[in-house]
């Protein structure tokens, strides 16, 4: 997708309050009319709002400053200034708002429900007009309050795309081909490394009422957690997935160490990633000698991780794909049931379940485009 963006630094400003007015009532035959200066209007607020049809932060990259309107000044005849218009900033689900200087998390939309809103900055209050300062000893006050200034902050906006399953593997392991086989996504596929340079999403349709969202991130290489290759730039996109699919290229010479290397890179990025349930797909068994390698890899993984499912497949030839799909569905369903049980047992918990963080799919919204799903 052209214009994909998962990070942006922006400046936000709430509106200034309007100034109070100094005015006096002057009418024929009414001496000593008294003060009638109105109050200034309130400045606009800065509000973040989740929009379900957004999938990237591209719009925030092209506009760096978001400013709410100032409140109007008060006028004579007790006319109050108009309130400033709020600045509403739409963001996609999975957005995290951080302070640009301290990196402190200000708000996290990962569990947003519906069109959730978050008021970040409040506009300044309007100043009082001189009508408020009239007393028995000062019946003609000639001063009013200025409006309060708004606030200015610099924010770092981050996006972690929401998916059920995350694909993990070296470049050219077959992740994009798997995504194309199971979903209607059409990522770029070519016989050279790093053809995937942005995350891609696809929807695996199970039946008329359920589906599974699969996320494919650019390939990981050894040393990615230290900045090699594309580094760990896109690993945050699988931190909120329910489970992981490891893709091992059994036609490659490093097939024996691939799984261990991938696990090490994920562990260096976040310990939570290694706690996610997973399955391993040993791909390209249609290549001569690759099936024997897949059996070797499967035996090694099963000896160290008896609960990890390992399936030899060939995405291009379609071998083992039905079994792989069944295991993916089983893995996601078991994770959903576990989250429902955990949520029921901890009704007072502040933690969020995976079900609350699932991406929203609206079948009636034809305008929704997933990152990487279009050419």
């Amino acid at each position: 997708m052209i214009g994909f963006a998962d990070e942006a630094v922006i400046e936000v400003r709430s509106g200034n309050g309007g100034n109070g007015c100094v005015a006096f009532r002057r009418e024929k035959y009414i001496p000593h009319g008294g003060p009638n200066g109105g109050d200034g209007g309130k400045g606009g607020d800065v509000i973040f709002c989740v929009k379900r049809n957004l999938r990237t932060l591209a719009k925030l990259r092209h506009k760096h400053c978001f400013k709410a309107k100032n409140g109007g000044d008060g006028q004579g005849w007790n006319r109050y200034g108009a309130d400033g218009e709020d600045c509403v900033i739409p963001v996609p689900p999975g957005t995290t708002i951080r302070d640009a200087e301290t990196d402190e998390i200000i708000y996290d939309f990962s569990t947003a429900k519906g069109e959730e809103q978050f008021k970040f900055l409040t506009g300044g209050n309007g100043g009082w007009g001189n009508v408020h300062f009239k007393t028995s000893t000062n019946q003609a006050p000639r001063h009013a309050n200025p409006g309060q200034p708004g606030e200015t902050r610099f924010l770092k906006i981050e996006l972690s795309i929401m998916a059920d399953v995350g694909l993990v593997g070296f470049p050219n392991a077959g992740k994009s081909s798997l995504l194309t086989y199971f979903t209607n996504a059409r990522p770029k596929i070519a016989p050279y490394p790093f053809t995937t340079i942005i995350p891609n999403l696809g929807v695996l349709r199970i039946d008329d009422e359920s589906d599974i969202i699969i996320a494919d991130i650019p390939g990981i290489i050894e040393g990615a957690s230290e900045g090699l290759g594309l580094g760990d730039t896109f690993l945050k996109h699988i931190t909120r997935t329910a489970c992981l699919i490891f893709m091992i290229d059994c036609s490659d010479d490093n097939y024996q160490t691939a799984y261990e290397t991938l696990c090490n890179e994920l562990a260096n990025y976040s310990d939570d990633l290694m706690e996610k349930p997973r399955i391993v797909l040993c791909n390209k068994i249609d290549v001569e000698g690759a099936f024997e390698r897949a059996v070797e890899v499967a035996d090694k993984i099963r000896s160290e991780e008896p609960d990890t499912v390992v399936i030899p497949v060939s995405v291009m030839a379609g071998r083992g794909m039905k079994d792989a799909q069944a295991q993916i569905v089983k893995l996601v369903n078991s994770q959903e049931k576990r989250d429902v049980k955990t949520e029921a047992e901890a009704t007072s918990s502040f933690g969020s379940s995976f079900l609350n963080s699932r991406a929203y799919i609206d079948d009636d919204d034809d305008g929704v485009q997933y990152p990487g799903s279009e050419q």
Side-chain angles (χ1 to χ4, degrees), residues 29-339:
Y29 309 121
I30 303 180
H32 313 297
N36 66 353
D39 300 343
K42 176 183 174 298
D45 303 329
V46 174
I47 301 173
F48 289 90
C49 177
V50 167
K51 292 295 182 183
R52 298 288 173 176
N53 62 333
L54 291 180
R55 290 296 179 266
T56 76
L57 300 176
K59 292 185 178 180
L60 301 189
R61 274 193 174 178
H62 299 303
K63 182 180 180 181
H64 301 286
C65 184
F66 295 82
K67 184 178 180 181
K69 299 295 184 180
N70 296 330
D73 294 337
Q75 301 179 37
W77 296 95
N78 290 321
R79 288 177 293 184
Y80 287 17
D83 291 339
E85 183 179 349
D86 296 334
C87 176
V88 180
I89 305 174
V91 294
T95 298
T96 302
I97 302 173
R98 296 177 179 268
D99 186 278
E101 298 178 356
T102 65
D103 209 38
E104 175 189 1
I105 295 180
I106 298 174
Y107 199 82
D108 191 348
F109 282 105
S110 63
T111 58
K113 298 180 180 179
E115 302 292 319
E116 181 176 328
Q117 291 188 350
F118 166 58
K119 183 191 292 187
F120 175 54
L121 295 181
T122 303
N125 291 326
W128 279 358
N130 68 336
V131 69
H132 292 279
F133 298 98
K134 178 181 178 181
T135 64
S136 58
T137 57
N138 184 12
Q139 298 185 8
R142 297 184 178 274
H143 69 276
N145 285 343
Q148 294 180 342
E151 301 178 72
T152 300
R153 293 282 295 274
F154 289 88
L155 302 175
K156 182 180 180 181
I157 312 298
E158 295 181 345
L159 170 63
S160 296
I161 58 180
M162 312 301 289
D164 302 330
V165 179
L167 298 180
V168 180
F170 287 141
N172 263 28
K175 302 187 302 299
S176 297
S177 298
L178 181 75
L179 191 69
T180 301
Y181 186 93
F182 280 144
T183 75
N184 59 355
R186 294 296 177 264
K188 182 179 180 180
I189 300 174
Y192 54 83
F194 295 111
T195 52
T196 300
I197 58 175
I198 64 172
N200 297 301
L201 282 182
V203 179
L204 170 59
R205 183 70 63 178
I206 305 303
D207 51 43
D208 292 337
E209 298 181 355
S210 61
D211 49 44
I212 293 176
I213 303 174
I214 302 176
D216 170 27
I217 67 169
I220 302 172
I221 65 172
E222 186 174 4
S225 58
E226 300 175 358
L228 296 182
L230 293 177
D232 58 5
T233 305
F234 298 107
L235 283 177
K236 61 176 172 287
H237 293 296
I238 60 173
T239 57
R240 288 172 176 159
T241 57
C243 44
L244 301 176
I245 298 176
F246 284 75
M247 295 287 292
I248 306 298
D249 181 2
C250 289
S251 67
D252 194 87
D253 292 337
N254 69 346
Y255 72 99
Q256 291 181 324
T257 60
Y259 180 69
E260 181 180 356
T261 302
L262 291 172
C263 290
N264 290 337
E265 294 302 325
L266 295 187
N268 290 338
Y269 181 80
S270 172
D271 293 334
D272 294 337
L273 285 177
M274 294 308 301
E275 297 178 1
K276 294 182 180 294
R278 72 195 73 148
I279 62 175
V280 180
L281 301 183
C282 296
N283 191 25
K284 302 185 182 181
I285 60 173
D286 56 312
V287 179
E288 183 179 357
F291 180 78
E292 290 75 13
R293 291 182 173 185
V295 173
E296 182 182 343
V297 172
D299 292 339
K300 180 180 178 181
I301 295 177
R302 287 166 183 163
S303 64
E304 299 173 354
E305 303 175 10
D307 296 333
T308 301
V309 177
V310 184
I311 307 173
V313 300
S314 171
V315 179
M316 297 303 295
R319 295 172 59 183
M321 298 307 291
K322 289 185 178 180
D323 189 17
Q325 177 174 333
Q327 289 296 332
I328 293 172
V329 174
K330 181 179 178 180
L331 190 66
V332 173
N333 288 341
S334 62
Q335 184 64 18
E336 289 182 1
K337 292 178 181 178
R338 186 180 298 113
D339 288 329

